[in-house]
Amino acid sequence: MLKSLSKSYWFVLSMLFIICYSCKEDTTPLDDRQESYTVAVRFAAFETIVNLLGKPPVSTLLSNVGTYEPTANGQIPYLYYWSFNGSSITPDIWLDGAASIRYNDELEPRNFDAAGWASNGYPAGKAMAITGGEQIIFQLPLVGGQKVASFGFDISSSGTGPNSFTLSYSQNVDNYRFLVEENQFANITGSYPKNSFLYYLDTIALDYRLPLFIKLVAKAGDRGNGSAYNPKTGVIRMDNIFLKGLKSDSSSNKVRQLSYHIFDAQRKSLIVTGQAPFAENTVPTLFVELPPGDYKGAFVSNDSEAELLMPNQATMEQFYIGNLFSNRRAKVYGLELDFTVRKDLEFDLLLRRYYSQVKFEFTDNRDLSAVKRIVVKQAHSPFYYAPFGKMTVNPIVDQTEITYAVDFDRESKELVFNQFMGNLAVASQIAYTLDVYNQADKLLRTFTVSGNIKNNVRLVFRGELLSGIDASNNFIVRYQEDWDGDDTIDF
């Protein structure tokens, strides 16, 4: 029998699952069998798995992004968190995928071999190490937030690295204001001694339509008996960087549920289907009663603003998963499971990301205030995922598009969206057409970019937005496989 379960799980059980049995005339109904067994399926936290890209989760203690109120113990949740344990600058928790870390002249940190420090449920793992980092800028988009509470991190340096820094903030890049001008390290002896800093930001008036830029400028500081400061060769090591705050109710996703479809592996008929709602701080455990037999299950989680495209009733070969292109923030994870029921069972499963993140970075040095809106359209066939076999005809009809109202004088020159792809075994072509309109809503430019990727990839298109009007241009495509490492391709 199953192990003892918490009251919360029994509450979830009482709310879930309509059990639907196949009624084909040429088969024996499964419910004619007298015995049945309970199958319990547990899932680790979706965000933790996704950010580690298939690696074992570092913690199941951290809440997901954006609880709208402090937790029961009064803790404010994270809007952003970097543990660097995935060896990249992709945050573990994020409010917006356009967040970034740059140092000196817009350089991207690439060294994550340094030893980090355990904190907030994350093991020590790795840290970000920057050689010759004279200034570091954190770009933190605030769209979707409603109250920033605090910013903090752990930091240390090599013998010739800085022992102090200034910290300032801005929302227009050109006008920084000091948070604290002198931040002397308390620990300056030993090998990379840890220093922790925390700054309360709740009294600062912020425009949540704009990103928050926080700039760290290195200083020599008190050296004690140590070596002299060398800004070119000194190393800064940082870990556990976070921004705490509340997510806006108005931006909350409308759909947050886990769907499951279980098929008889021999008859290929649908046996059980259902949906389990989940909150951002909880992950549902599924309980299903099944007679003895061989089964194939499909589990799909949807955290977005719209329902996924799935047939209500279908055979195993007819089952598919899709998502409208316009549902651009959709975070969809899933897996397939083959299992045999001969007794009560328990599974602990990790969900895999069924989407990739696509970002456009516009590198124009010219004024982009003429641009009012950008419309992004799919120039490839809509993606669908059939977990148990390829379908002869694409079941998805999707002519939706994504419209961005932009103000590049006030906002970052980036566009970000999630592209649903399913769990692809081989790379597939993606292509997007961008229509760029001016303030009078007149079309300025149309161009198309393309590439070949699988799911679970971060793809960056980089180039000039207004090129082709009075200048030549080539876009650069950067692929970050598993969001860890990158290649650059010119086209």
Side-chain angles (χ1 to χ4, degrees), residues 405-417:
V406 297
D407 182 354
F408 288 132
D409 281 344
R410 298 168 61 86
E411 300 170 354
S412 169
K413 296 179 181 180
E414 297 178 348
L415 305 179
V416 181
F417 59 87

Side-chain angles (χ1 to χ4, degrees), residues 211-453:
L212 171 64
F213 296 91
I214 296 180
K215 180 168 65 175
L216 182 155
V217 177
K219 299 175 63 176
D222 181 6
R223 314 297 298 174
N225 296 323
S227 303
Y229 174 47
N230 188 327
K232 301 299 182 183
T233 63
V235 179
I236 299 173
R237 184 178 295 180
M238 298 187 72
D239 198 6
N240 304 309
I241 302 167
F242 67 83
L243 182 73
K244 283 189 173 185
L246 301 181
K247 192 176 178 182
S248 171
D249 288 322
S250 62
S251 66
S252 63
N253 291 329
K254 299 177 182 178
V255 178
R256 190 174 289 113
Q257 64 188 15
L258 179 73
S259 300
Y260 61 95
H261 294 73
I262 298 177
F263 301 89
D264 184 287
Q266 304 301 322
R267 295 183 172 96
K268 303 183 186 298
S269 55
L270 180 65
I271 303 303
V272 181
T273 183
Q275 295 178 334
F278 61 89
E280 286 184 314
N281 287 338
T282 63
V283 182
T285 294
L286 304 182
F287 301 92
V288 183
E289 292 291 328
L290 291 171
D294 298 322
Y295 298 96
K296 290 182 178 290
F299 304 90
V300 185
S301 75
N302 175 24
D303 187 351
S304 74
E305 297 170 356
E307 297 280 354
L308 295 179
L309 305 175
M310 292 186 290
N312 292 326
Q313 298 290 327
T315 64
M316 196 165 70
E317 294 95 338
Q318 296 170 334
F319 178 70
Y320 65 87
I321 306 161
N323 177 57
L324 291 176
F325 180 60
S326 57
N327 192 22
R328 64 185 178 93
R329 297 186 182 90
K331 294 183 286 187
V332 184
Y333 326 122
L335 59 81
E336 302 83 57
L337 177 67
D338 294 346
F339 62 100
T340 298
V341 175
R342 295 289 184 267
K343 60 181 180 178
D344 291 336
L345 298 174
E346 295 183 45
F347 294 105
D348 292 285
L349 303 178
L350 303 180
L351 296 176
R352 178 174 175 79
R353 182 192 285 142
Y354 277 2
Y355 67 96
S356 288
Q357 184 189 85
V358 178
K359 179 191 290 188
F360 286 85
E361 296 180 352
F362 304 122
T363 59
D364 305 61
N365 290 324
R366 73 185 76 187
D367 179 16
L368 293 181
S369 61
V371 179
K372 176 183 179 182
R373 65 186 178 98
I374 300 174
V375 179
V376 183
K377 304 173 184 177
Q378 291 183 111
H380 54 254
S381 297
F383 282 98
Y384 74 94
Y385 179 49
F388 307 112
K390 185 175 178 60
M391 305 179 73
T392 57
V393 178
N394 189 334
I396 304 296
V397 177
D398 181 12
Q399 296 181 328
T400 62
E401 57 193 31
I402 302 172
T403 299
Y404 295 90
V406 297
D407 182 354
F408 288 132
D409 281 344
R410 298 168 61 86
E411 300 170 354
S412 169
K413 296 179 181 180
E414 297 178 348
L415 305 179
V416 181
F417 59 87
N418 293 338
Q419 171 68 66
F420 172 83
M421 305 190 78
N423 188 17
L424 299 184
V426 296
S428 182
Q429 184 181 39
I430 53 92
Y432 304 100
T433 298
L434 279 70
D435 295 331
V436 185
Y437 293 85
N438 66 9
Q439 296 295 331
D441 221 28
K442 178 182 177 181
L443 184 64
L444 289 173
R445 181 192 181 197
T446 295
F447 63 95
T448 300
V449 295
S450 62
N452 287 279
I453 61 172

Side-chain angles (χ1 to χ4, degrees), residues 78 80-88 90 92 101 111-120 122-130 136 138 151-157 192-198 216 236-243:
Y78 296 106
Y80 293 96
Y81 196 99
W82 281 268
S83 75
F84 303 111
N85 290 342
S87 296
S88 79
T90 301
D92 299 85
I101 303 174
N111 185 3
F112 306 97
D113 294 332
W117 302 283
S119 183
N120 303 303
Y122 287 98
K126 298 182 179 181
M128 175 180 70
I130 298 175
I136 303 172
F138 306 91
F151 176 74
F153 51 83
D154 295 327
I155 189 171
S156 68
S157 69
Y192 289 99
K194 174 184 174 182
N195 293 270
S196 298
F197 291 89
L198 174 64
L216 182 155
I236 299 173
R237 184 178 295 180
M238 298 187 72
D239 198 6
N240 304 309
I241 302 167
F242 67 83
L243 182 73

